[in-house]
């Protein structure tokens, strides 16, 4: 088993956008400019929304992403023979390591996944992120029964006080859409691994894809 996973959720998303971005994000991450104030704020809001959405799942256990034993701690929890709710769970299969926002383990190997997004719609990259998670989890011997995306409810109006979680968010079943892409994941991971080994990726041109769906941090 690799101790330095090549592909994470974030790198997988980079690869979906552009091979050159994938290469740079992996090999030259420290050379990328610091995120601007807006991007930093978006990241902070996203983290806060995950925590807020997690409050709808009582008695969950949070995994510290910074813990070097996060993968082992998560595995121990979900393989326990009793129901568990786990926040920020981490799993590793070969050279891929994933993070899951929220998962529910039934105690018999069945899992439900919930991914929290700050937007008000489901985007293709959200579906592919979940497809990656399902691929890894099922390679590890689990069975993912349901995958859901929790996103902001565009019709929510704040009336003051605390945000009622069940009104602020919409929980959308994405299982069927995610399942349609599972068969593509292994080939994509193989392709991305080849990109990471190929310095020729740096010679790829820039183009409109550098700003869609997200602006590449290396563009400048």
């Amino acid at each position: 088993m690799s101790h330095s996973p090549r592909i994470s959720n974030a790198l997988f998303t980079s690869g979906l956008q552009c091979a050159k971005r994938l290469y740079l994000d992996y090999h030259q991450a420290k050379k990328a400019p610091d995120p601007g104030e807006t991007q930093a704020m978006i990241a902070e809001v996203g983290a806060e929304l995950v925590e807020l959405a997690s409050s709808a799942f009582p008695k969950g256990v949070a995994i510290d992403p910074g813990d070097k034993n996060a993968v082992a701690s998560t595995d121990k929890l979900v393989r326990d023979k009793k129901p568990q709710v786990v926040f920020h769970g981490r799993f590793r299969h070969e050279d891929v390591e994933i993070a899951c926002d929220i998962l529910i383990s039934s105690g018999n190997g069945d899992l439900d996944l919930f991914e929290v997004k700050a937007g008000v719609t489901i985007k293709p990259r959200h579906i592919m992120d979940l497809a990656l998670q399902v691929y890894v989890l099922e390679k590890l011997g689990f069975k993912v029964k349901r995958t859901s995306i929790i996103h902001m409810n565009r019709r929510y109006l704040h009336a003051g006080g605390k945000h009622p979680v069940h009104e602020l968010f919409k929980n959308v079943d994405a299982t069927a859409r995610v399942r349609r892409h599972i068969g593509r994941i292994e080939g994509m991971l193989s392709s991305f691994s080849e990109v990471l080994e190929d310095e020729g990726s740096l010679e790829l041109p820039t183009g409109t894809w550098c700003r869609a769906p997200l602006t590449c941090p290396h563009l400048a």
Side-chain angles (χ1 to χ4, degrees), residues 168-182:
L168 176 62
F169 293 105
K170 289 187 67 176
N171 182 7
V172 181
D173 186 345
T175 308
R177 278 176 281 183
V178 169
R179 283 283 168 197
R180 285 198 288 269
H181 297 282
I182 301 298

Side-chain angles (χ1 to χ4, degrees), residues 14-24 192 195-196 201 204:
S14 296
L16 292 175
Q17 181 167 353
C18 170
K20 189 172 185 176
R21 175 173 182 175
L22 171 63
Y23 187 94
L24 289 168
F192 291 170
V195 167
L196 293 177
S201 300
L204 293 170

